[in-house]
Amino acid sequence: MAVEEGKEPGAVSRTNQVRPLPLRLLQLFVLFLFLCIGFSVVSLYTIRHFGIESTVTAVKSNFLPCLEELNVSLGEWIKAPVDLMHSMNDEELFWRASFVPRIKNYPFQRVPKVGFMFLTKGPLPLAPLWERFFMGHHELFSIYIHSLPSFTPNFTHDSVFHGRQIPSQVAEWGRMSMCDAERRLLANALLDINNEWFILVSESCIPLYNFSVIYNYLKNSKYSFVGSFDDLGPYGRGRYRLEMAPEVNITEWRKGAQWFEVDRKLALNIVQDTKFYRKFKEFCQPPCYVDEHYFPTMLTIEFGNSIANRSVTWVDWSRGGAHPATFGGHDITKEFLAGVLEGNCSYNDQSSTICALFARKFAPSSLQPLLSLASEVFGY
């Protein structure tokens, strides 16, 4: 059988013998071994004579961002921006300002502040009066100034207004660019998590009470102060356009002064609004003045129970015209200012005689008379 199957007895023993490595393969192995030894010697020589500092530094720098991220403290997230002149455009700014903590209780000692937002073309001629008003209350307020981009401020380093300019754009009265400027101010002020109330004032505004009175008035109020009323005449409903529907119906159309005070919740909703913004930008064109209708209408529809339907900034429309009266130095007397302070309104659903916290429009010539009477009349 073994012969017939072609298997010889000696064949099995030959297949189990170990064959020697080919000479060529052995040479390659020896060469590789010498290369490894040579590389090791060179590496040891380099480390001994040049050190390993550069190597460790390179490795460390690769992991440094991760280590820094892990070591970030809460203070890095909650501190206010030091430099207000950032490089964000409006879209980026509004997105950043819309961040809202989902947990209401703050894990740190938060002192609520008032954000004073000055909307102006250029200088603040009444700044010395405001400086006196702010004196001694630095922990309770923040200041933001939106002026023409071409304006260069010259406040001294010890002024509360120094370095408080925000990136700005041209704002035209009655146009959406004016509301853009107001939203830009709100968004920058929202970046400071300690700001709780936001007041829009102009360069012609003055405070009518000392800081403590105004701070407590806002702190204890159940409502934000936004002028909003239903004007049935040609300067109210007469400016409504049918294209505003369905977002805004004519019965929801409101009018009010652009000078407002809102809390943080309403400020966030103004900044992140896109639903009403598009409608007003497209269809509220002069003689529809968007700064008189956009915020009053939007806030009445969305947060009607949160606003007092009145402003806290006094103006005099008795002289007629498209703009309120302007008061110069010759107008400033104790009797005149006492009349400005008189009021009868609702505060927290109860009758109050303190209605206006600020007043406008005051010309630069009114500064010195105001400074001489401020302590006696206003209390600062």
Side-chain angles (χ1 to χ4, degrees):
M1 289 295 295
V3 175
E4 291 178 358
E5 294 177 4
K7 294 182 179 179
E8 299 181 5
V12 176
S13 62
R14 285 196 301 267
T15 57
N16 291 332
Q17 293 178 356
V18 179
R19 296 181 180 179
L21 290 174
L23 181 60
R24 181 62 176 169
L25 183 59
L26 183 60
Q27 291 175 339
L28 290 174
F29 176 76
V30 173
L31 178 62
F32 176 75
L33 184 61
F34 274 109
L35 287 174
C36 290
I37 295 173
F39 179 78
S40 299
V41 171
V42 172
S43 299
L44 290 174
Y45 178 84
T46 302
I47 293 174
R48 176 175 296 180
H49 286 79
F50 298 102
I52 60 173
E53 182 178 351
S54 59
T55 306
V56 173
T57 303
V59 174
K60 183 179 179 180
S61 64
N62 289 335
F63 288 94
L64 189 56
C66 255
L67 294 175
E68 288 182 343
E69 186 70 23
L70 291 175
N71 291 331
V72 169
S73 66
L74 181 63
E76 296 295 322
W77 294 96
I78 64 177
K79 67 180 180 181
V82 177
D83 186 5
L84 298 185
M85 295 302 291
H86 53 74
S87 60
M88 291 183 287
N89 58 35
D90 280 355
E91 183 181 8
E92 296 167 337
L93 172 64
F94 295 161
W95 177 82
R96 175 63 183 85
S98 66
F99 286 3
V100 182
R102 299 298 296 271
I103 298 177
K104 294 183 179 180
N105 295 326
Y106 293 92
F108 60 93
Q109 186 65 35
R110 180 177 183 261
V111 179
K113 297 193 298 185
V114 182
F116 287 86
M117 307 178 300
F118 288 82
L119 181 58
T120 175
K121 292 182 178 180
L124 299 177
L126 303 178
L129 186 70
W130 283 95
E131 295 267 10
R132 183 184 295 185
F133 166 76
F134 287 125
M135 188 178 299
H137 302 281
H138 289 79
E139 299 298 322
L140 299 177
F141 70 88
S142 302
I143 294 175
Y144 305 87
I145 305 173
H146 187 292
S147 58
L148 290 174
S150 58
F151 174 71
T152 302
N154 59 351
F155 298 110
T156 59
H157 285 271
D158 59 344
S159 171
V160 295
F161 296 104
H162 178 73
R164 304 311 298 176
Q165 301 284 131
I166 68 168
S168 62
Q169 298 181 28
V170 174
E172 299 178 88
W173 177 71
R175 302 281 183 174
M176 184 54 89
S177 59
M178 183 66 73
C179 292
D180 289 337
E182 296 169 11
R183 298 175 79 209
R184 199 172 295 122
L185 279 164
L186 282 171
N188 279 278
L190 282 167
L191 296 182
D192 185 345
I193 199 170
N194 291 309
N195 286 332
E196 184 62 29
W197 307 283
F198 306 82
I199 296 178
L200 181 68
V201 292
S202 73
E203 76 281 1
S204 66
C205 283
I206 64 169
L208 296 177
Y209 296 91
N210 65 49
F211 188 92
S212 297
V213 171
I214 291 178
Y215 182 86
N216 288 309
Y217 193 93
L218 301 178
K219 179 181 178 181
N220 297 322
S221 176
K222 298 192 298 185
Y223 306 102
S224 288
F225 296 96
V226 180
S228 177
F229 64 96
D230 187 3
D231 183 352
L232 302 180
Y235 304 114
R237 288 197 182 189
R239 296 173 176 174
Y240 176 80
R241 298 292 179 266
L242 293 175
E243 292 85 354
M244 299 296 294
E247 286 81 3
V248 181
N249 296 315
I250 191 169
T251 56
E252 300 170 319
W253 185 256
R254 294 293 184 269
K255 182 180 180 179
Q258 72 178 109
W259 313 105
F260 59 77
E261 180 276 329
V262 293
D263 62 16
R264 192 170 185 89
K265 176 182 177 182
L266 295 190
L268 283 164
N269 282 275
I270 289 174
V271 166
Q272 65 190 21
D273 172 59
T274 56
K275 176 182 177 182
F276 298 96
Y277 179 88
R278 296 190 185 99
K279 286 285 186 174
F280 277 89
K281 184 176 183 179
E282 183 174 358
F283 300 111
C284 187
Q285 301 286 341
C288 175
Y289 300 106
V290 67
D291 51 276
E292 295 181 3
H293 297 282
Y294 173 35
F295 296 149
T297 300
M298 186 264 284
L299 292 177
T300 297
I301 295 174
E302 297 286 294
F303 305 97
N305 295 328
S306 299
I307 60 176
N309 296 329
R310 69 176 178 90
S311 175
V312 285
T313 301
W314 178 92
V315 290
D316 181 8
W317 290 96
S318 63
R319 301 181 185 180
H323 301 281
T326 299
F327 304 100
H330 62 280
D331 296 306
I332 309 304
T333 64
K334 286 195 294 185
E335 293 73 22
F336 167 73
L337 295 177
V340 173
L341 290 172
E342 290 180 357
N344 184 12
C345 60
S346 174
Y347 175 72
N348 287 344
D349 304 319
Q350 295 182 359
S351 179
S352 174
T353 58
I354 300 180
C355 301
L357 305 180
F358 308 92
R360 63 185 299 266
K361 301 171 56 175
F362 290 84
S365 61
S366 68
L367 175 61
Q368 291 305 320
L370 287 170
L371 285 173
S372 64
L373 293 173
S375 177
E376 179 181 355
V377 179
F378 302 142
Y380 61 85

